Amino acid sequence: MKKFTMLVSLFCVCAFLAFGAGSKETPQQVVKEAGPITLTILTTATTQNPEGPLAQEFFDEFMRLNPEIKLEVTGVPMNQALTKITTLAAAGSLPDVFVNTENIIGQLYDMGICEDLTPYMTKAELENITESVRIGSTMENKLVLYPWYSGPNALIFRKDWLEEKGISAPKTLEEMRLAAKALTADTNKDSLVDRWGFGMIGTNDDSGQTRFVMILRGFGAKELYFQDGTWKTDIGSPASVEAFKYFTNLKNVDNVVPAGALENSFNENVNLLAAEQIGMLIAGSNSVGKIFSANPGLKGKIGSVIVPSGVTSYTPSSILGWSVNPSSKHKEAAVKFVKFVSSKKNAIKWVEVTGRIPCTNDAISDSEYLNTPLFEGFVAGFKAMEQAPNAPYYAEVKNVLGRTYQKLILNPALDATKEVQAAGREIQKIIDNNK
Amino acid sequence: MIKNTTDRLRQNSLGYIFIFPALFVLVAMIVYPMLYGIGISFFDTNLVNKWKFIGLKYYVRLLTDENFGRSIVKTLIFTFGTVAGRTFLGLLFATILVDKRIPFKPLFRSIIVLPWFFPDVVIGLLWKWLYNTNYGLINHLLLGLNMIKAPVEWLSNSSTAMGAVILVSIWKGFSFMVVMLMAALQTVSQDLYEAAEIDGCGRIGKFLHVTLPGIAPVLSTTVMLESMWSFKHFTLIWNLTYGGPVDATNVVSIDIYKTGFQYMRFGESATRAVYVFIIVIVISLLQRKFKNSKGY
């Protein structure tokens, strides 16, 4: 009996390994299509507000204009996009069109799941994509991400509060620190600070890490860069130590950051700004839509300026768009869809509702909304965007940075130089492990 | 001999047909994923187009990986804290609720099992709000009672984060212990308590010499189950702290998730999972050995 059971089990395992694991060629790829096309879409837009309803409006309009194409849309939150796409790709169930961003483009391209879209585009269409975005969407001369919108970071500030203090918008990191000190106050005179100069996103996630990298690079130190055929890091250098000290001192020495800095994520900081509890925040242009949606009374009181510089300034590339599954049977329809969503008319409408910046030259120049003083910093940041390192282990490197700034914030007595040098060694180990 | 086997197979064929669906589901849902997981631990893979065989490289590397060692220690702390807390509260409430003199017992029982019914994600978000430094209810109450002078950063301070997470985990799961122990307590004969009383046992004596031996088989099984579940627990911790601050709550399940789905090193992630599997098996064997030695 035991032997028989084992034999049956073994048979099942073999059968699964043979057929289950090999079932990546979906029936969709074998069976010829008949009738109207069903295009499967994976997007983050429908899970967000105020993006969701407008995105749905675009999808409905596309189906109305193209009755032969039916869209089957699945929503995924941004922080789960990579997990979802990887799982679907591994299972051979990748949709025809899926979300892609500058953060995950390298990993998805390495998996071979992004169609080169260059052949589907005219020269004029390609040239219409803003240069920095086009570079960020291209891997090995292949346009593998069709850009939809960009959300470059800038320093958002309370214009009215700075004017009250007679301070102009900070251009350098030192000016930003001093402005934050000036804005921090006990407004109701109960001996407790209730207004903070700077909203720190100190969480050890991509949101917090990316903002820290802007400050780090402002000090002239790079967390990861490619030089002479190899990846290198500046973490551990005196400039990087100064960057860590500057960032952690905002909380520990200058006291310009509200309590709970290590747990306050992007959304919590946006809420604090909308609740008039913080005066400045490094955030993407999309936060403007969220702030006004939470507190319409702030319209006209908010300004933006490019992320302040130290010895240099750095705004990482921020692009969200679409990739087309190379195994899709409906590539033409897929490209038609992504072009429609990113069209000038839709892009202009999109920025007005969500604050997210279009990626094409014609939409940017024709959008009156983008040319208001509110967007000054974001547009400047958009033009200065630089591509972040596309090493597949970049997320791990950023995690080391996040852990280090959290450690220094929690333990002000620690020797910052030693901790940053230890982080540098850890990053070097990651680089070596991946050689 | 061959004829014998063939006869037996023919005789039992109907039985084999009946067990086949269950066996098939078991193999499909448990054996295959497990073998697949063990299989990919020998590869450097992104699960799609990169399958580089690296043998035992990850197994060897992890043996000297300090971060992995630290995450195992964090897991043991979390597991011990959770199981000890749940056992203590479970015993306490079960003992109270089996007492015939307590009124409204069904109502209390229903209230106590409520946290168990909620999904971990909901509990995580709820407690994240309660713990929030700026607008959380806990800080608000403590400040109102003048017990603290400034808001406490419960989840973003490495000295309080693990305790805060363990507390939520205990709150979420102690009701299972209550239900199990109440059932066990009801099986302990009243005669034994009377005999113990005649022998001069007080309340504590009766608990130690009658109640505990009476519920020991159920208690040890429940503790084993709770230990294994807690060792692999992910959702609550992820929702509350994402393994932070720094690595204060970076238990091994979070380590596995990050390695696989954030750093895309599925092979190494699977290796970590295999190590966890081995540890859980060892815990289970030790518990079984303990049970056997006590004759449960």
Side-chain angles (χ1 to χ4, degrees):
Chain A
M1 176 63 195
K2 267 186 185 172
K3 276 182 187 169
F4 180 73
T5 313
M6 281 177 72
L7 275 173
V8 173
S9 309
L10 197 66
F11 169 74
C12 292
V13 172
C14 295
F16 258 86
L17 287 171
F19 302 110
S23 66
K24 284 173 185 167
E25 294 294 317
T26 57
Q28 181 193 354
Q29 289 165 300
V30 181
V31 180
K32 285 274 173 198
E33 63 173 312
I37 291 169
T38 299
L39 206 59
T40 49
I41 314 281
L42 183 74
T43 176
T44 53
T46 50
T47 63
Q48 295 165 322
N49 201 24
E51 288 84 351
L54 184 57
Q56 192 56 53
E57 213 176 279
F58 292 169
F59 301 159
D60 293 341
E61 176 70 0
F62 178 76
M63 284 193 279
R64 195 184 63 76
L65 295 172
N66 302 279
E68 77 285 4
I69 304 173
K70 187 184 165 226
L71 299 181
E72 212 172 88
V73 181
T74 307
V76 60
M78 179 53 85
N79 58 1
Q80 288 168 25
L82 181 61
T83 307
K84 182 97 176 177
I85 294 166
T86 311
T87 313
L88 289 171
S93 315
L94 197 65
D96 296 305
V97 182
F98 52 92
V99 62
N100 198 346
T101 75
E102 83 291 339
N103 272 335
I104 57 176
I105 186 174
Q107 287 154 320
L108 299 188
Y109 178 71
D110 276 351
M111 287 182 200
I113 57 171
C114 305
E115 175 80 358
D116 177 14
L117 298 170
T118 320
Y120 299 88
M121 298 178 70
T122 63
K123 193 171 175 249
E125 282 173 335
L126 275 171
E127 283 174 355
N128 190 30
I129 299 173
T130 314
E131 197 187 354
S132 60
V133 173
R134 200 168 58 233
I135 293 168
S137 308
T138 304
M139 301 290 292
E140 296 177 331
N141 295 320
K142 293 173 190 161
L143 186 83
V144 291
L145 182 160
Y146 193 102
W148 181 10
Y149 59 76
S150 171
N153 280 290
L155 183 74
I156 300 176
F157 57 87
R158 279 295 296 264
K159 220 165 48 174
D160 52 337
W161 289 357
L162 283 185
E163 278 166 10
E164 264 173 35
K165 298 278 175 190
I167 303 171
S168 56
K171 289 190 177 68
T172 66
L173 288 168
E174 181 57 12
E175 282 175 18
M176 184 177 92
R177 190 182 72 84
L178 294 174
K181 281 183 96 165
L183 293 183
T184 302
D186 167 18
T187 57
N188 60 2
K189 308 289 174 207
D190 65 351
S191 307
L192 290 172
V193 173
D194 51 27
R195 189 176 89 181
W196 306 88
F198 184 69
M200 177 184 278
I201 302 177
T203 45
N204 186 14
D205 55 11
D206 187 64
S207 188
Q209 294 154 5
T210 303
R211 281 163 179 83
F212 172 72
V213 167
M214 287 181 236
I215 288 172
L216 176 77
R217 290 207 176 199
F219 274 82
K222 289 182 177 176
E223 72 291 359
L224 194 65
Y225 60 99
F226 197 70
Q227 195 181 56
D228 303 328
T230 179
W231 287 100
K232 293 177 180 173
T233 181
D234 286 339
I235 300 300
S237 67
S240 68
V241 175
E242 286 312 306
F244 272 97
K245 280 185 183 167
Y246 172 89
F247 187 69
T248 55
N249 282 352
L250 288 173
K251 165 85 171 127
N252 293 341
V253 178
D254 301 317
N255 292 313
V256 295
V257 173
L262 303 193
E263 69 189 81
N264 290 340
S265 63
F266 167 72
N267 282 327
E268 272 135 2
N269 273 287
V270 165
N271 288 338
L272 286 171
L273 207 142
E276 312 200 32
Q277 287 179 30
I278 55 173
M280 294 188 290
L281 176 68
I282 294 177
S285 56
N286 58 311
S287 51
V288 171
K290 289 180 195 296
I291 292 164
F292 292 158
S293 149
N295 185 354
L298 288 181
K299 280 183 183 168
K301 294 179 179 175
I302 302 278
S304 73
V305 65
I306 192 166
V307 175
S309 60
V311 294
T312 179
S313 173
Y314 172 67
T315 306
S317 174
S318 167
I319 309 159
L320 187 140
W322 308 97
S323 282
V324 173
N325 180 357
S327 308
S328 166
K329 279 189 69 192
H330 317 298
K331 287 179 199 160
E332 293 289 344
V335 173
K336 198 175 185 181
F337 166 75
V338 299
K339 282 184 181 177
F340 172 81
V341 175
S342 318
S343 65
K344 187 172 101 176
K345 185 183 141 204
N346 285 339
I348 290 174
K349 202 169 178 185
W350 188 252
V351 65
E352 285 169 12
V353 174
T354 67
R356 297 189 189 266
I357 297 178
C359 295
T360 49
N361 293 321
D362 58 355
I364 291 170
S365 58
D366 285 10
S367 168
E368 287 171 16
Y369 191 65
L370 271 183
N371 293 315
T372 57
L374 169 65
F375 275 88
E376 212 170 280
F378 296 116
V379 174
F382 178 76
K383 286 177 184 163
M385 282 194 314
E386 289 176 52
Q387 200 174 0
N390 58 8
Y393 49 85
Y394 186 47
E396 211 175 340
V397 170
K398 288 209 291 187
N399 184 54
V400 176
L401 301 180
R403 231 175 40 219
T404 308
Y405 65 64
Q406 285 201 333
K407 203 171 177 183
L408 290 172
I409 288 173
L410 283 171
N411 308 287
L414 283 178
D415 183 340
T417 309
K418 275 187 186 166
E419 291 301 323
V420 177
Q421 283 172 348
R425 285 193 294 274
E426 201 175 337
I427 291 173
Q428 191 55 53
K429 200 173 158 189
I430 295 169
I431 296 171
D432 294 342
N433 279 342
N434 284 280
K435 269 179 183 167
Chain B
M1 176 68 187
I2 292 170
K3 200 185 167 201
N4 236 347
T5 313
T6 318
D7 281 351
R8 215 169 342 127
L9 275 174
R10 197 172 297 150
Q11 205 177 348
N12 298 332
S13 58
L14 199 62
Y16 294 135
I17 291 169
F18 281 139
I19 63 159
F20 184 76
L23 188 66
F24 183 80
V25 170
L26 268 178
V27 171
M29 299 293 179
I30 297 170
V31 180
Y32 171 66
M34 218 167 74
L35 292 180
Y36 187 77
I38 294 170
I40 61 174
S41 69
F42 302 113
F43 288 88
D44 176 9
T45 176
N46 61 13
L47 296 184
V48 181
N49 63 347
K50 180 183 168 193
W51 291 93
K52 186 180 163 197
F53 183 75
I54 44 117
L56 292 170
K57 186 180 166 187
Y58 289 143
Y59 285 91
V60 176
R61 190 199 281 177
L62 280 180
L63 285 176
T64 54
D65 187 327
E66 284 177 18
N67 289 336
F68 182 61
R70 273 196 289 268
S71 72
I72 293 283
V73 173
K74 301 275 178 210
T75 313
L76 288 170
I77 294 170
F78 173 78
T79 305
F80 178 78
T82 299
V83 176
R86 286 180 183 179
T87 308
F88 174 74
L89 284 182
L91 260 176
L92 183 73
F93 281 96
T95 315
I96 294 169
L97 286 173
V98 289
D99 193 326
K100 286 175 184 151
R101 293 166 297 180
I102 301 286
F104 309 117
K105 273 201 290 190
L107 177 72
F108 289 131
R109 271 204 298 260
S110 308
I111 292 171
I112 279 175
V113 294
L114 269 181
W116 199 38
F117 291 148
F118 287 103
D120 283 356
V121 177
V122 176
I123 301 286
L125 292 175
L126 176 78
W127 277 87
K128 199 170 183 177
W129 172 75
L130 289 172
Y131 279 135
N132 188 283
T133 311
N134 297 302
Y135 50 81
L137 194 65
I138 295 173
N139 275 336
H140 181 75
L141 284 175
L142 294 176
L143 282 168
L145 294 168
N146 283 324
M147 290 175 76
I148 51 173
K149 284 179 183 164
V152 178
E153 299 175 325
W154 300 104
L155 294 176
S156 51
N157 189 323
S158 41
S159 52
T160 54
M162 181 57 99
V165 169
I166 288 174
L167 187 73
V168 180
S169 179
I170 291 171
W171 182 82
K172 165 79 173 85
F174 83 95
S175 21
F176 175 71
M177 200 63 112
V178 175
V179 172
M180 296 298 283
L181 294 182
M182 271 176 68
L185 282 168
Q186 281 159 358
T187 63
V188 182
S189 167
Q190 235 9 70
D191 298 346
L192 290 174
Y193 286 108
E194 282 165 19
E197 218 167 285
I198 292 164
D199 289 344
C201 271
R203 275 190 153 189
I204 295 172
K206 277 195 278 185
F207 180 77
L208 289 176
H209 302 296
V210 179
T211 310
L212 266 187
I215 63 169
V218 175
L219 184 65
S220 64
T221 305
T222 319
V223 165
M224 183 195 69
L225 285 173
E226 290 278 7
S227 305
M228 289 195 294
W229 291 338
S230 303
F231 203 91
K232 299 178 295 178
H233 193 74
F234 172 82
T235 328
L236 266 182
I237 309 169
W238 183 254
N239 277 292
L240 285 166
T241 62
Y242 302 103
V246 193
D247 278 336
T249 57
N250 193 41
V251 295
V252 75
S253 55
I254 287 181
D255 204 35
I256 290 169
Y257 177 80
K258 280 185 179 171
T259 309
F261 288 101
Q262 288 190 348
Y263 311 149
M264 310 300 282
R265 296 205 310 262
F266 290 99
E268 191 175 334
S269 178
T271 312
R272 286 164 198 253
V274 171
Y275 272 126
V276 170
F277 175 69
I278 293 168
I279 292 168
V280 171
I281 290 281
V282 170
I283 293 175
S284 158
L285 289 175
L286 286 175
Q287 195 271 346
R288 186 165 290 190
K289 204 173 172 190
F290 172 76
K291 269 179 82 172
N292 289 341
S293 71
K294 295 284 176 187
Y296 299 148

